Amino acid sequence: MNVIFLGPPGAGKGTIAKEIKDLANVIHLSTGDMLREEMRNGTELGKMAKQYIEEGKLVPDEVIIGMVESKLKSSDKGILFDGFPRTVDQAKALDQFAKIDAVINLYTTVDVIVKRVGGRRICRDCGKVFNTSWYDSDRCDECGGELYTRTDDTEETIKKRYEVYVEQTEPLVDYYREKGILHDIDANGEIQEKVDKIKAIFDNVQ
Ligand code: AMP
C-alpha cells in the first residue's frame, strides 16, 4: 500500500506518520528529513538544498524526484509519503513509478500553522515533535535527546512556506480528489482520533 500525507507545514504529517507507520507496515519517507540529513552530512545535494529550505522555497523538482526515485528502488515495502509530492509535476512523476492507494489531506488554517510551527521543537535523536505551548523542557521525554528548533521555523519563513503551499502544493488536493483517492482529515483534532480515522481508511484500501 502506498499512501500520501498532504497538508501545509505544521499540519502534523510527520507526527502522525511516525505513529502509524508500524501499524500499517509501511516505510515513512519524508523528503524534508532526507534533505536535512543531506545537509547534516554536508553533501553537495545538502548544500544546494540549504538555500532553498532556509528561504522557505521548494527544492527544484528534478532534484527531489531523483532522490525519491532512488529511495523507492531500494524498498520492497509500501511507502507513506510525507512532504512529497509538493507540486503537480512531482505528482505526475510519482504516477510513473508508484501506484498510490490513498491520499490523506490534513487540512487546517494559517493561524493554527503559525502557532504550531512557531513553537515546534524536535528531538535530535528520535525525531519526536514537541511544542512550547505544552512542553517546556529541553530534553525529549522518550529518549532524553536534546530538542532543537528547525532553522526554517522562523515566523517569516513559516509565512513564506504557507504561501508556497497554497500556490504550488494545494492544487494537488484537486488532482487527487479527481482520481477519487483523497480523504479529508481535520488536522486540529486529537492525535489518537486522527490516527484511528486514518487506520480505518487504510483498512478499507488494503
Ligand atoms: P518539510 O520537512 O516537509 O517541512 O520540508 C522542509 C523543506 O524541505 C521545505 O520547505 C522545502 O524547502 C524542502 N522540501 C521538502 N520536501 C520537498 C519537496 N517534495 N519538494 C520540494 N522541496 C521540498
Side-chain angles (χ1 to χ4, degrees):
M1 180 180 61
N2 294 314
V3 180
I4 294 169
F5 274 15
L6 203 60
K13 301 185 294 292
T15 306
I16 302 174
K18 286 187 182 84
E19 286 284 319
I20 215 157
K21 70 177 197 315
D22 295 334
L23 304 171
N25 192 30
V26 288
I27 289 170
H28 175 203
L29 188 156
S30 156
T31 41
D33 284 352
M34 289 166 83
L35 293 170
R36 280 184 288 278
E37 193 177 341
E38 297 283 344
M39 279 162 55
R40 268 196 304 279
N41 295 338
T43 64
E44 285 309 310
L45 197 163
K47 285 181 202 153
M48 187 275 285
K50 189 172 190 288
Q51 69 194 79
Y52 290 96
I53 293 178
E54 290 188 348
E55 286 178 23
K57 295 180 182 160
L58 293 186
V59 174
D61 282 343
E62 59 276 16
V63 175
I64 294 287
I65 292 165
M67 189 176 82
V68 171
E69 196 177 359
S70 55
K71 178 84 183 179
L72 290 190
K73 278 186 188 146
S74 64
S75 165
D76 52 4
K77 269 189 170 182
I79 308 276
L80 200 165
F81 293 95
D82 161 11
F84 178 88
R86 260 178 156 98
T87 64
V88 171
D89 282 347
Q90 290 180 17
K92 287 183 176 162
L94 180 59
D95 286 342
Q96 305 301 309
F97 44 77
K99 178 187 170 286
I100 302 302
D101 301 291
V103 178
I104 308 296
N105 177 34
L106 286 158
Y107 65 91
T108 182
T109 60
V110 65
D111 299 351
V112 173
I113 285 160
V114 170
K115 210 164 130 197
R116 274 204 196 167
V117 182
R120 180 157 67 181
R121 301 282 180 279
I122 303 169
C123 174
R124 246 182 233 296
D125 296 338
C126 72
K128 185 168 175 186
V129 180
F130 298 85
N131 195 286
T132 49
S133 62
W134 51 265
Y135 195 77
D136 66 0
S137 165
D138 288 337
R139 293 274 158 192
C140 175
D141 64 357
E142 288 216 350
C143 73
E146 184 198 1
L147 305 190
Y148 76 100
T149 301
R150 277 171 45 173
T151 53
D152 59 344
D153 278 354
T154 62
E155 194 174 334
E156 193 189 341
T157 315
I158 297 162
K159 288 191 175 143
K160 173 76 191 161
R161 283 159 61 203
Y162 186 72
E163 270 171 40
V164 167
Y165 169 79
V166 171
E167 279 168 25
Q168 301 192 56
T169 309
E170 211 170 39
L172 293 179
V173 171
D174 284 341
Y175 181 87
Y176 288 116
R177 204 184 296 284
E178 278 163 21
K179 288 181 186 286
I181 54 172
L182 192 90
H183 303 265
D184 293 302
I185 299 276
D186 183 352
N188 302 328
E190 286 297 315
I191 175 97
Q192 194 54 49
E193 191 188 325
K194 288 178 281 191
V195 167
D196 290 345
K197 283 184 182 160
I198 295 169
K199 260 166 48 190
I201 295 167
F202 286 4
D203 289 344
N204 277 333
V205 296
Q206 254 169 353

